[in-house]
């Protein structure tokens, strides 16, 4: 579990700088330059991610279960993951109504992803991984909305075509991941 914890501290720590020390982040970007800052950010994020994957693979082999998700809960998880994929795509498709309304769909996608997986997975490693991401996403969303209020950020209105593309791509990405890629990458086939 040590590697998982270290990976979470590094990865979520880097991604929390804007939440807890936005002024310091701005000063560091001014001091180092934007490209070196982004390079350092990416390098630390990658190191944290690798440790999370490695640590989680080791930790999920440990015995013990805090709760066991029922078959019905797996269907709920699958439905929530569909929403999560649509939210994730909404972060990238220009002028979609989801981003226009929710403003930070990627952070919401992480929140829904984490909650969905907590409902179905009750090992200590699962609770640590998904619980940490859920807590981070709650605070990140709150901080992002506060920054928007201070900056008086106005998001462009969504269009029907942007929203349709977002939903279609999100559903297709969810289907590919749920029926094929999750089993290949994670070793668990949630839908088949």
């Amino acid at each position: 579990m040590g590697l998982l914890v270290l990976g979470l501290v590094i990865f979520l720590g880097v991604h929390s700088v804007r939440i807890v020390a936005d002024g310091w982040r701005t000063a560091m970007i001014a001091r180092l330059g934007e490209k070196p800052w982004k390079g350092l950010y990416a390098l630390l994020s990658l190191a944290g991610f690798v440790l999370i994957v490695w640590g989680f693979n080791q930790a999920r082999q440990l015995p013990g279960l805090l709760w066991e998700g029922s078959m019905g809960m797996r269907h709920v998880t699958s439905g929530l993951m569909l929403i999560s994929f649509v939210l994730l795509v909404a972060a990238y498709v220009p002028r979609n109504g989801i981003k226009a309304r929710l403003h930070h769909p990627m952070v919401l996608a992480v929140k829904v992803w984490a909650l969905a997986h907590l409902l179905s997975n009750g090992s200590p490693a699962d609770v640590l991984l998904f619980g940490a991401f859920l807590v981070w996403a709650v605070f990140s969303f709150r901080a992002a909305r506060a920054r928007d209020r201070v900056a008086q950020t106005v998001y462009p209105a969504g269009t029907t075509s942007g929203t349709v593309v977002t939903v279609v791509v999100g559903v297709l990405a969810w289907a590919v991941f749920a029926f094929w890629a999750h089993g290949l990458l994670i070793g668990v086939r949630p839908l088949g």
Side-chain angles (χ1 to χ4, degrees), residues 1-53:
M1 282 271 227
L3 286 176
L4 176 58
V5 171
L6 180 60
L8 287 167
V9 167
I10 293 170
F11 187 86
L12 294 177
V14 168
H15 285 81
S16 296
V17 169
R18 195 147 192 214
I19 299 170
V20 297
D22 198 29
W24 177 82
R25 175 187 171 272
T26 303
M28 289 302 291
I29 292 171
R31 193 173 119 206
L32 298 173
E34 189 172 344
K35 286 186 180 180
W37 172 262
K38 285 184 177 181
L40 181 61
Y41 186 94
L43 185 64
L44 287 170
S45 295
L46 181 60
F49 182 75
V50 167
L51 288 171
I52 288 170
V53 171

Side-chain angles (χ1 to χ4, degrees), residues 131-192:
F133 272 94
L134 180 58
V135 169
W136 172 83
V138 168
F139 284 106
S140 181
F141 186 76
R142 191 172 135 210
R145 294 298 293 245
R147 283 192 307 272
D148 285 352
R149 281 191 297 278
V150 169
Q152 297 180 343
T153 304
V154 177
Y155 289 85
T159 63
T160 301
S161 62
T163 305
V164 168
V165 167
T166 298
V167 171
V168 168
V169 171
V171 169
L172 289 174
W174 168 82
V176 167
F177 204 77
F179 288 101
W180 179 72
H182 196 280
L184 179 71
L185 297 171
I186 313 298
V188 176
R189 296 177 53 94
L191 295 178

